[in-house]
């Protein structure tokens, strides 16, 4: 790998070689290229990158799921070779300074993955093992407004939008049960567990004196996808309670939006050279809302 500078342009490039040999043998060359270009007249830094990634399967219980003995656990079994994933990552973005006090940045990204790594659970146990789906496509945008310091005030606001989906059929791993044939022959699109469309985080901090500060912040998310496995509303209520079941949008197949407001304050009681004593208090979820993160 190496870096090169041409005036206001910075280039970064590299190439990596991987050789993998656990049950299957595979190799890959993975190049990457990135740039950052500063335009003084606009006060903007433009940046971009491309990465080709080679991802090896998770090692946890990999040998168990690929053993011949595990086939005796169920009469309907499918055992597929688990190969490394290959992906192309793209990103473009820009950062601009505002009023010499703050900066705003934004970037868009896309990831296209073959042999998308996932995990599955062994029957009704807590034992999980790696599997792979045919492909996955993840894209979105991230942005930040940051105010490092303006007198006694500092703060930041982050926003992201992401769409993350995968495609069947399954192409690797161990599958036990009656749904094996469906998993092997379907081209259904499913939402990845991290697929939250809108996420917002922010914090504002006020420090009138060197040894004292207060802050307030909030976190908001539109909700992750859920897997209900055909369970009825009544079953969910009996198992988890009415309050938790109400936080799931059954028709949309998603957790309902979450919102948490937090406040903090701290005072520095003692400081000398490298030693300090600080008293801090935090109140989380000041709005007293039941937030269901995952289900």
């Amino acid at each position: 790998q190496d870096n090169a500078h041409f005036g206001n342009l910075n280039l970064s490039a590299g190439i990596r070689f991987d050789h993998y040999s656990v049950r299957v043998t595979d190799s890959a060359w993975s190049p990457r290229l990135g740039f950052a270009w500063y335009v003084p007249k606009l006060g903007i830094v433009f940046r971009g990158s491309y990465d080709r990634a080679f991802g090896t399967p998770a090692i946890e219980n990999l040998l168990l799921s690929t053993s011949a003995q595990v086939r005796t656990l169920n009469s309907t079994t499918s055992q597929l070779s688990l190969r490394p994933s290959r992906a192309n990552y793209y990103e473009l973005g820009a950062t601009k300074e505002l009023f010499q006090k703050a900066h705003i940045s934004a970037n868009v990204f896309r990831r296209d993955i073959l042999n998308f790594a996932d995990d599955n659970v062994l029957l009704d146990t807590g034992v999980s093992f790696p599997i792979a789906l045919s492909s996955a496509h993840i894209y979105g945008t991230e942005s930040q407004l940051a105010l490092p310091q303006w007198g006694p005030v500092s703060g930041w606001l982050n926003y992201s939008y992401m769409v993350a989906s995968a495609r069947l059929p399954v192409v690797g791993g161990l599958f036990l049960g009656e749904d094996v044939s469906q998993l092997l022959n379907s081209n259904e699109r499913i939402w990845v567990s991290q697929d939250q469309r809108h996420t917002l985080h922010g914090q504002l901090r006020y420090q009138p004196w060197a040894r004292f500060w207060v802050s307030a912040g909030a976190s908001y998310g539109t909700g992750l996808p859920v897997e209900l496995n055909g369970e009825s509303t009544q079953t969910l209520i009996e198992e988890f309670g009415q309050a938790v079941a109400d936080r799931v949008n059954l028709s949309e197949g998603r957790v309902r939006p979450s919102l948490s407001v937090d406040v903090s304050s701290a005072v520095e009681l003692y400081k000398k050279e490298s030693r300090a004593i600080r008293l801090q208090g935090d109140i989380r979820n000041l709005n007293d809302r039941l937030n269901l993160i995952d289900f």
Side-chain angles (χ1 to χ4, degrees):
Q1 62 182 13
D2 200 2
N3 293 316
H5 299 270
F6 303 94
N8 293 325
L9 176 65
N10 179 57
L11 297 177
S12 174
I15 190 166
R16 172 187 173 117
F17 176 76
D18 287 274
H19 177 74
Y20 174 79
S21 184
V22 180
R23 297 297 195 196
V24 300
T25 299
D26 204 351
S27 302
W29 291 95
S30 302
R32 65 176 180 84
L33 176 66
F35 77 90
W37 178 38
Y38 176 59
V39 183
K41 291 183 178 181
L42 301 177
I44 299 177
V45 176
F46 295 99
R47 59 185 182 275
S49 66
Y50 165 76
D51 291 90
R52 180 161 175 80
F54 178 80
T56 58
I59 197 66
E60 184 180 13
N61 295 321
L62 175 60
L63 298 181
L64 169 66
S65 65
T66 55
S67 68
Q69 290 84 350
V70 79
R71 300 171 194 166
T72 63
L73 294 176
N74 194 283
S75 59
T76 307
T77 304
S78 182
Q79 206 170 23
L80 305 174
S81 298
L82 199 60
R83 308 197 69 85
S85 65
R86 298 171 187 267
N88 293 300
Y89 293 176
Y90 311 90
E91 186 169 335
L92 286 173
T95 300
K96 179 174 175 57
E97 190 178 54
L98 301 175
F99 314 114
Q100 298 182 337
K101 297 291 184 182
H103 68 262
I104 185 171
S105 62
N107 66 286
V108 294
F109 61 88
R110 181 178 179 90
R111 297 178 176 182
D112 299 316
I113 308 165
L114 296 177
N115 288 343
F116 177 65
D118 202 351
D119 58 73
N120 203 358
V121 176
L122 183 64
L123 301 178
D124 293 323
T125 69
V127 178
S128 65
F129 50 87
I131 64 172
L133 307 182
S134 175
S135 63
H137 303 281
I138 302 169
Y139 65 89
T141 182
E142 300 172 328
S143 60
Q144 181 187 67
L145 174 63
L147 180 65
Q149 198 70 42
W150 190 10
V153 177
S154 62
W156 51 268
L157 181 66
N158 291 343
Y159 167 76
S160 68
Y161 171 80
M162 184 171 71
V163 178
S165 64
R167 284 280 184 186
L168 293 174
V170 296
V171 292
L174 172 69
F175 300 91
L176 307 173
E178 299 302 324
D179 60 346
V180 172
S181 59
Q182 179 183 352
L183 293 173
L184 292 174
N185 295 289
S186 172
N187 65 348
E188 180 185 358
R189 182 189 193 189
I190 59 177
W191 302 114
V192 176
S193 57
Q194 297 88 356
D195 175 64
Q196 180 162 259
R197 300 304 164 82
H198 303 280
T199 306
L200 192 67
H201 298 287
Q203 186 184 74
L204 188 65
R205 174 168 160 158
Y206 178 64
Q207 187 170 5
W209 305 293
R211 294 194 174 190
F212 173 79
W213 58 261
V214 294
S215 69
S219 299
Y220 172 80
T222 52
L224 296 170
V226 299
E227 293 184 20
L228 299 176
N229 298 321
E231 293 184 80
S232 66
T233 304
Q234 186 58 39
T235 302
L236 297 176
I237 293 173
E238 291 174 357
E239 187 172 355
F240 301 103
Q242 183 71 57
V244 172
D246 286 344
R247 299 302 303 156
V248 182
N249 188 331
L250 300 176
S251 61
E252 295 291 333
R254 285 186 179 269
V255 173
R256 295 189 187 277
S258 63
L259 174 65
S260 177
V261 178
D262 310 319
V263 295
S264 301
S265 181
V267 58
E268 198 170 76
L269 303 176
Y270 170 82
K271 184 176 183 180
K272 185 176 181 180
E273 296 177 348
S274 61
R275 298 177 177 85
I277 299 175
R278 184 178 66 183
L279 178 66
Q280 179 172 333
D282 306 279
I283 301 177
R284 304 297 184 193
N285 197 27
L286 182 65
N287 50 323
D288 193 26
R289 176 169 174 163
L290 175 61
N291 288 315
L292 190 61
I293 305 303
D294 201 355
F295 186 74

